[in-house]
Amino acid sequence: MLLISCGGNKGRIRIEGEFRNLNQADFLVYSPDGGFDDIDTLHLLKGRFRKDLSVAGGPFTFTIIYPNFYTLSFVASGGAKVRINGDALALKDVVVSGADSVIPHPTELPDERLHVGMRLPKVDIIEQSRQPGKYLLIGFWANWRSGASVVNTVIKRALQSYGSDKLCALSYSLDLDQRMRRIGEGADSLAWQSYCDYLAWESPAVVRLGIRNIPMLILLDPQGKIVALGSNYTSDIEPTLRKLRKE
């Protein structure tokens, strides 16, 4: 009995840990490559948490989303006991033990930061969304970020105001769950292209472009150059669209 109780359970993974300067919180945890279905919650109380997840085989990737939406990703297999220790005031410095490996958090490269006048780095889904002779309005959003779904409202407004003959759009969701994405998009399908790979901040396009906050809107000219960007449609994007309409 002693040997059985001490041995690892290959059909599950245990995630436990302790955080200083944080008494109570809920962390979200999911596996983008199928370690387990759906999204689960790690309940932290008095700075500590413990969760057993049904996981068979592996290795799989696991991503934890903190309340401030910063993420921690690691690789582990069924039977692993992963321990996470850190300080809520320094989330980048947490220590993870028991995992096969820890995936470095994606960071912005200094020469890749987006700004008006630069050509947007190539991303397949964005390249596929461009249409000859048209400006492209890209909106990054997620249902879990309060207020971010306004992206779909302002894209609709832009297309109605400036015409689909001059403007096309891409709604890029950082949601983690298909049901939640549909809530943010509304009951009906969007009338323009939308995309989501359910990887949130780990989405290759988000990492490639250095997106670190949502909502984020980017307006490209027909050649793929950024002519406007920002989180506020009225102040950051619409003035440029008005100028274009007068040309």
Side-chain angles (χ1 to χ4, degrees):
M1 290 295 294
L2 179 61
L3 291 175
I4 293 174
S5 63
C6 292
N9 187 330
K10 298 296 184 181
R12 72 180 185 186
I13 178 174
R14 171 167 292 178
I15 305 175
E16 61 183 356
E18 184 173 355
F19 278 81
R20 298 183 298 280
N21 294 307
L22 186 60
N23 182 54
Q24 184 173 344
D26 285 340
F27 301 163
L28 297 179
V29 58
Y30 72 102
S31 176
D33 49 9
F36 65 97
D37 295 330
D38 216 341
I39 304 169
D40 216 320
T41 304
L42 305 177
H43 299 288
L44 182 143
L45 184 62
K46 295 182 178 179
R48 299 178 180 178
F49 66 91
R50 175 183 287 186
K51 185 76 173 185
D52 288 335
L53 299 170
S54 295
V55 176
F60 297 109
T61 303
F62 298 88
T63 296
I64 295 174
I65 305 177
Y66 301 122
N68 67 350
F69 301 107
Y70 192 81
T71 59
L72 168 69
S73 295
F74 59 87
V75 176
S77 302
K81 293 183 178 180
V82 179
R83 182 161 185 85
I84 302 169
N85 289 291
D87 190 324
L89 302 179
L91 292 176
K92 294 181 180 180
D93 301 324
V94 299
V95 176
V96 180
S97 58
D100 295 343
S101 61
V102 178
I103 300 173
H105 192 278
T107 56
E108 294 180 72
L109 299 175
D111 59 347
E112 291 288 352
R113 292 185 182 181
L114 304 182
H115 58 82
V116 172
M118 74 176 287
R119 186 175 296 276
L120 193 76
K122 286 193 175 182
V123 174
D124 287 345
I125 185 61
I126 294 177
E127 292 299 309
Q128 294 165 13
S129 302
R130 292 174 56 191
Q131 298 179 24
K134 294 185 181 182
Y135 285 77
L136 172 63
L137 179 58
I138 311 164
F140 292 88
W141 69 283
N143 198 67
W144 45 257
R145 173 74 83 181
S146 177
S149 60
V150 72
V151 159
N152 295 316
T153 301
V154 299
I155 286 179
K156 181 178 181 180
R157 178 171 138 195
L159 290 171
Q160 290 175 340
S161 299
Y162 301 98
S164 57
D165 58 328
K166 298 179 181 178
L167 182 67
C168 56
L170 169 65
S171 176
Y172 197 113
S173 170
L174 276 68
D175 271 308
L176 299 168
D177 182 275
Q178 189 173 24
R179 293 166 297 176
M180 296 301 291
R181 176 190 174 193
R182 287 174 178 169
I183 291 173
E185 291 183 351
D188 301 322
S189 298
L190 299 180
W192 56 90
Q193 186 165 356
S194 63
Y195 178 80
C196 184
D197 55 16
Y198 305 104
L199 296 178
W201 296 120
E202 269 67 42
S203 174
V206 172
V207 175
R208 177 78 175 96
L209 299 180
I211 303 296
R212 281 293 167 271
N213 193 31
I214 54 174
M216 173 59 70
L217 295 157
I218 302 173
L219 181 63
L220 302 181
D221 71 7
Q223 288 71 47
K225 186 175 69 174
I226 299 174
V227 293
L229 80 164
S231 60
N232 188 298
Y233 172 78
T234 302
S235 60
D236 299 326
I237 305 297
E238 195 166 32
T240 301
L241 286 174
R242 287 201 196 101
K243 292 178 183 178
L244 295 175
R245 184 166 57 181
K246 295 177 182 179
E247 293 180 355

